[in-house]
Structures are given as structure tokens and as C-alpha cells.
Amino acid sequence: MLTAVTRDVDAALASCELTFLPRAGIDVNLAVEQHRQYRAVLSSLGCNIVDVPTAPGLADSVFVEDTAIVLDEIAVMCLPGAASRRPEVDGVREVLREYRRIESIALPGTLDGGDLLRVGRVIYAGLSTRSNLQGIGQLRSIAGDYGYVVETVETTQCLHLKSAITEVASGTLLINPDWVDRSAFGACELIEIDPSEPHAANALRVEDKVIYPSSFPRTLDRLVQRGIDVTTVDVSELQKAEGAVTCCSLVFDA
Ligand code: CIR
């Protein structure tokens, strides 16, 4: 059964970590409503929603993607590059241990799930302000035992690898080529975002469908023209926290 692990928006969301965006007023009540709709779309696409209990004061805890990568065989608990986010991991581990054997990244390695893009048996790992070579190396060693190849890819000007590139259909990636070098993804078909929408590369694939922010109409057109079945969601308040659609869930077969 397709499962989506999510976590409520914390009341402290407005105190979130920010790296590339200036702080803008976040309407937390609206964020809660947008997140409710996001969960409803996940449900409508066949996901069983499993919630991680809230841990008050963890401002960024809605962004569960950064705490783990769930592979078919195991879950690897990440070690977020931002120290304020490390306490988020425990609650997610407690949930994931119901579904997978758990492995973990340890200091001095750091690794954010937002930097991990899995395409088949390849995991592209973003070398970013959050994820370092030690963290990526630990993942390579853990996942290598299960036949995954981990490729390191440098990102620039964006928070995570998945700010710059995500999978929108099997072997087809949506990319902002200004933030990540397209040559790293030679084996895949690439769709470029519309250049006027630099944040538009983050799409959440759920089997043969895609959940996508309503704020990027030009790139949305490109996806639709390629025959991709897209459902849009308004995530304006989560975007002000430098989040988008992949970061609010961990979707896997359970
Ligand atoms: C952070 O800076 O860590 C959060 N404010 C946003 C994290 C978004 N995560 C993601 O896109 N995977």
C-alpha cells in the first residue's frame, strides 16, 4: 500500500531556517490549511497518510523529507545540516521503524533528504550547504549494500538538490539548469523549467501522477504538454519557509 508520512505544521513555522530567501511574513493558519489540502491530494492519489506526532517548537518539522530516505529495503535516517533540525529525526524514526529496518547517518556526516533524488537504483546526492561529502559517503556505503549507486552532484544558489531537479515520470526529470549541471543526468530525459520561474523544479511524483505548486503556471504548461498528469496545490506559505511539495512527505510502498 502506498504510504505518505507527514507531520503537522508547527506553530513556530515563522521562525524556520532560511538560507537563500529573505524572511517574509508567514500566515501559519493559512499554512496549516494549505498543508491539509496537500494531505488531501496525497489521499486522493491513493496514499495512506501516516502522521508523525508533533513535537512543539520544531519550526521546520513539517518538512519531513529532510529527515530520511526510504528505500525499498531500508530507511536511512538523515542528519540534517541545520543543527536546529536534528531533533526532528527521532519522531520520524519511530514511525519508519514500523515499515523498514533503520540505518542512520552520523556526524561528522550531514545529509538532508531534500538533497537525495532517487531514480531507479541511482541516488543522486546533492553536495549543498546542508549535505557534506562524509554524509554522502556514509549513504553510499549503506545503500551500496543493497545495489544502489550514489552519485554526488553539486548544487549552487538553491537549498537542496530537489530544489533544482525532481522526477516527474519514470526516467524523466524536471530541471533548473542554472542550479545544477544537466550533464550529471545524462541517462535521463530532461524537461527544463520556464526560466522566469526559477523555483519551479520541485514536483512530487506519486506513481504516474505529479503534485505541483500552483504558483508556476508556465512550467506547469510544459509538464501538461508532455502528457504529465498534474494536480496543483497552493503552498505559498510553505514556499516562504523555503519548502515546496516534495519536502512535506515521505512516500513509499508499505
Ligand atoms: C529549511 O531551511 O531547512 C526549511 N526552512 C525548509 C526545508 C525544505 N526542505 C526541502 O525542500 N526538502
Side-chain angles (χ1 to χ4, degrees), residues 16-17 60 63 65-66 85 114 130 159-160 241-243 247:
C16 64
E17 293 282 340
D60 281 304
F63 303 124
E65 171 182 65
D66 294 319
R85 299 203 54 193
R130 298 290 175 85
L159 183 59
H160 288 127
E242 246 171 311
C247 56

Side-chain angles (χ1 to χ4, degrees), residues 14-65:
S15 314
C16 64
E17 293 282 340
L18 286 175
T19 307
F20 290 95
L21 289 186
R23 200 163 291 279
I26 295 178
D27 180 337
V28 177
N29 291 330
L30 181 54
V32 168
E33 174 55 21
Q34 291 176 344
H35 188 250
R36 192 190 64 73
Q37 289 177 13
Y38 170 86
R39 276 179 171 142
V41 172
L42 280 168
S43 287
S44 75
L45 298 185
C47 294
N48 175 41
I49 307 287
V50 174
D51 288 326
V52 179
T54 51
L58 295 182
D60 281 304
S61 53
V62 64
F63 303 124
V64 285
E65 171 182 65

Side-chain angles (χ1 to χ4, degrees), residues 36-111:
R36 192 190 64 73
Q37 289 177 13
Y38 170 86
R39 276 179 171 142
V41 172
L42 280 168
S43 287
S44 75
L45 298 185
C47 294
N48 175 41
I49 307 287
V50 174
D51 288 326
V52 179
T54 51
L58 295 182
D60 281 304
S61 53
V62 64
F63 303 124
V64 285
E65 171 182 65
D66 294 319
T67 62
I69 179 169
V70 183
L71 302 174
D72 298 343
E73 304 83 359
I74 53 167
V76 182
M77 302 312 300
C78 292
L79 203 150
S84 71
R85 299 203 54 193
R86 292 177 191 161
E88 295 172 27
V89 175
D90 284 350
V92 181
R93 180 190 293 107
E94 285 312 301
V95 170
L96 292 181
R97 70 193 315 165
E98 301 292 322
Y99 302 95
R100 296 286 192 277
R101 196 167 70 71
I102 302 287
E103 297 274 2
S104 298
I105 303 300
L107 286 171
T110 63
L111 196 65

Side-chain angles (χ1 to χ4, degrees), residues 111-194:
L111 196 65
D112 276 22
D115 278 317
L116 303 176
L117 171 64
R118 178 186 165 186
V119 181
R121 302 304 281 188
V122 178
I123 302 170
Y124 295 99
L127 188 58
S128 69
T129 61
R130 298 290 175 85
S131 300
N132 65 18
L133 283 173
Q134 290 101 320
I136 294 170
Q138 289 176 34
L139 178 69
R140 180 174 292 116
S141 151
I142 294 167
D145 287 346
Y146 298 89
Y148 293 90
V149 174
V150 175
E151 302 271 7
T152 306
V153 186
E154 271 187 60
T155 60
T156 54
Q157 302 174 65
C158 62
L159 183 59
H160 288 127
L161 178 64
K162 275 189 274 192
S163 315
I165 189 160
T166 53
E167 191 180 41
V168 289
S170 182
T172 301
L173 308 180
L174 178 63
I175 183 171
N176 176 343
D178 292 335
W179 289 354
V180 70
D181 185 349
R182 52 184 304 144
S183 67
F185 308 94
C188 299
E189 189 177 338
L190 300 180
I191 302 174
E192 286 192 19
I193 55 142
D194 186 284

